Amino acid sequence: MKKILIITDYFYPHWTGISKSIYYLIKTKLKNIKFDVITVNHTNKLKNEEKIFNSIIYREPYIFSISRAKYSISIIFKFIKVIKNYDQVLINSPCANILFFSIIAKIFKKKLIIFHQGDLILPKGIFNKIIEKIFDISSLISFHLANKISTYTKDYAIHSRVMNFFLKKFTPIMMPIYIKKEKLSEKSNVYKKLINFKKNKKILFGFAGRFVEEKGFDILFDAINHVVKKNKNLHFIFAGETNIEYEKFFQKNLEKYKKIKKHLTLLGLLNEKELSCFYQLIDFIIIPSRSDCFPLVQAEAMLFNKPAIVSNIPGASYLVKKTKFGLIFEKGNHKELAEKIIIAFKIRNKILKNFIKVLKILDNKENVKKIKRFFTS
């Protein structure tokens, strides 16, 4: 039995792509491989230790926040305490303590693997630029020490600030995705809010995630302003948190929001059942990101047979480029995004014919086989 210790700053129930991917990984239950997880107790209210899918989850308290990161020192000592019980270390990057974990793993002569889910992109400002530089230097040293590195696509690795120097160590991995098509419930608040739009034959365009500058939702707001002047039968649905304490980007775009408010419904943060309902009732998913390694929300929506409209950036545009299950627009160009939204509605039936290609790329059985080879070879 090969024992692998996963280090991740965020994990379930923190429901972002960087944590959800690891949740999906340990849910896989690979034969002769056991995963355990060390993570930060991001609320300081969760259990310090629990079992999920036969994996032990160790949570360590954080002492302060730096931008989006919750910084923990005790997590390093926990790592040192338990590392002797494992054969390999997998660091889920970005990771605040990546350099410490990498050095300690090599001191203990453990095989080190880094799964990178995106370069650190923070809002403008001298302090944030310093944090980005520290992240880059720490990551570059850690990637040098690693035996293997990975992310979802080679496309992103080539364009990454830190991965592109180590492509000889690189293997792309498509993490499995386990999202259920839940039965629609009339009692669900999401169902109640969206079903009337469907009854009135509105075409629903969904978007989701943290409302931060990197995700480009302000670009979409500008596009919506153009779209509704040409077609008032389209409506937009946002699933996610708008009050992001470390950025306040939604508040900076309140004037844009007020202009399109009647054409936009805010659902807030959704649980798994509500998210399934969201995917089932929207007609398209929009990914207007300025930077995005591999948005899980896009992949999940596409598995629900919902085409994507995505900005032409490394990583995020991969699925649409490979499958033609959607449309691509120039990054940051809200006018082109508006045009693609209107075009997508008109050629929807043509796009839907490519759904079989999505199922092939996101085939869990095949992707799990590749993951097992990655960890055992």
Side-chain angles (χ1 to χ4, degrees):
M1 174 72 73
K2 192 177 293 292
K3 296 183 71 178
I4 300 174
L5 182 60
I6 300 174
I7 313 297
T8 179
D9 282 353
Y10 289 104
F11 186 68
Y12 172 86
H14 190 275
W15 223 225
T16 58
I18 195 169
S19 59
K20 204 172 186 180
S21 58
I22 299 302
Y23 180 83
Y24 284 153
L25 177 61
I26 70 167
K27 188 176 181 177
T28 303
K29 297 181 181 178
L30 296 173
K31 188 177 180 182
N32 296 324
I33 297 179
K34 185 180 187 300
F35 294 107
D36 290 332
V37 176
I38 294 182
T39 188
V40 177
N41 194 335
H42 62 273
T43 68
N44 282 338
K45 295 178 182 179
L46 300 168
K47 292 180 180 179
N48 292 331
E49 187 176 319
E50 67 175 316
K51 212 166 195 180
I52 299 176
F53 305 130
N54 204 35
S55 294
I56 300 171
I57 313 301
Y58 303 103
R59 294 191 180 91
E60 290 297 313
Y62 73 91
I63 53 175
F64 59 85
S65 299
I66 304 178
S67 185
R68 70 187 64 172
K70 304 291 187 183
Y71 193 82
S72 171
I73 292 178
S74 64
I75 195 173
I76 299 174
F77 294 104
K78 172 62 80 171
F79 180 65
I80 294 170
K81 184 178 179 180
V82 303
I83 189 175
K84 62 181 180 294
N85 302 319
Y86 296 89
D87 305 299
Q88 298 180 16
V89 172
L90 170 63
I91 301 176
N92 188 30
S93 171
C95 176
N97 285 308
I98 188 171
L99 184 56
F100 293 111
F101 292 136
S102 299
I103 292 172
I104 294 166
K106 300 316 287 186
I107 289 172
F108 279 84
K109 298 181 179 180
K110 304 297 181 180
K111 185 174 182 180
L112 175 62
I113 300 170
I114 299 175
F115 187 75
H116 187 57
Q117 298 204 51
D119 298 348
L120 189 62
I121 308 289
L122 297 174
K124 294 177 182 178
I126 295 175
F127 180 68
N128 284 337
K129 286 299 174 188
I130 292 171
I131 293 176
E132 285 184 3
K133 289 297 180 184
I134 292 171
F135 164 81
D136 285 358
I137 293 168
S138 299
S139 297
L140 286 167
I141 297 171
S142 300
F143 284 28
H144 174 72
L145 293 173
N147 298 91
K148 290 183 178 183
I149 63 172
S150 182
T151 189
Y152 288 93
T153 68
K154 188 175 182 179
D155 171 40
Y156 187 84
I158 290 170
H159 292 89
S160 164
R161 298 197 309 260
V162 292
M163 295 193 83
N164 71 91
F165 297 101
F166 306 98
L167 295 178
K168 289 183 179 179
K169 297 182 179 184
F170 172 75
T171 303
I173 285 180
M174 192 64 64
M175 289 290 188
I177 298 174
Y178 302 104
I179 185 158
K180 294 180 181 178
K181 190 172 183 179
E182 302 281 355
K183 185 178 179 181
L184 293 174
S185 170
E186 294 181 3
K187 295 180 181 180
S188 165
N189 288 329
V190 174
Y191 180 86
K192 290 175 182 176
K193 287 181 179 180
L194 301 191
I195 197 62
N196 284 332
F197 293 122
K198 301 299 287 185
K199 288 178 180 178
N200 291 322
K201 298 184 178 180
K202 292 279 188 180
I203 304 299
L204 302 184
F205 289 80
F207 58 111
R210 295 171 296 118
F211 204 104
V212 293
E213 186 175 1
E214 184 182 1
K215 297 297 182 181
F217 297 138
D218 57 317
I219 300 165
L220 177 56
F221 279 10
D222 288 334
I224 292 172
N225 206 24
H226 284 271
V227 168
V228 295
K229 291 175 184 177
K230 297 181 180 180
N231 192 332
K232 297 189 184 303
N233 201 40
L234 310 184
H235 194 80
F236 297 82
I237 312 292
F238 175 66
E241 182 61 66
T242 55
N243 186 26
I244 306 298
E245 60 181 21
Y246 55 81
E247 198 162 323
K248 302 293 183 185
F249 193 61
F250 181 79
Q251 288 74 9
K252 292 176 185 177
N253 287 279
L254 273 178
E255 289 305 312
K256 291 184 179 183
Y257 167 67
K258 289 175 183 177
K259 290 179 182 178
I260 60 168
K261 188 175 179 180
K262 65 179 181 180
H263 305 287
L264 173 62
T265 297
L266 304 177
L267 296 178
L269 202 59
L270 305 183
N271 60 36
E272 275 294 273
K273 287 187 177 181
E274 291 170 332
L275 193 59
S276 175
C277 180
F278 167 76
Y279 288 142
Q280 290 180 66
L281 293 179
I282 62 173
D283 297 288
F284 294 88
I285 190 75
I286 301 176
I287 308 294
S289 303
R290 292 178 167 89
S291 173
D292 218 327
C293 172
F294 190 83
L296 274 184
V297 67
Q298 178 192 4
E300 289 174 346
M302 291 173 77
L303 282 171
F304 275 80
N305 203 13
K306 310 301 176 179
I309 301 172
V310 59
S311 53
N312 191 15
I313 56 175
S317 62
Y318 172 83
L319 281 177
V320 174
K321 285 180 177 178
K322 287 290 184 180
T323 65
K324 308 301 181 187
F325 194 67
L327 296 171
I328 296 172
F329 70 96
E330 181 187 356
K331 181 181 81 169
N333 190 331
H334 68 272
K335 290 183 178 178
E336 186 176 343
L337 173 54
E339 291 171 5
K340 291 299 171 74
I341 289 170
I342 293 169
I343 292 170
F345 162 63
K346 292 178 180 178
I347 64 170
R348 182 185 177 200
N349 289 337
K350 181 180 178 181
I351 294 173
L352 289 173
K353 292 177 181 178
N354 294 316
F355 179 56
I356 189 71
K357 297 177 184 177
V358 174
L359 296 177
K360 187 174 182 180
I361 290 178
L362 300 179
D363 183 338
N364 279 349
K365 287 184 179 180
E366 287 302 313
N367 290 332
V368 165
K369 288 178 184 177
K370 292 175 183 177
I371 289 169
K372 187 169 184 181
R373 284 198 296 270
F374 178 77
F375 285 115
T376 56
S377 64

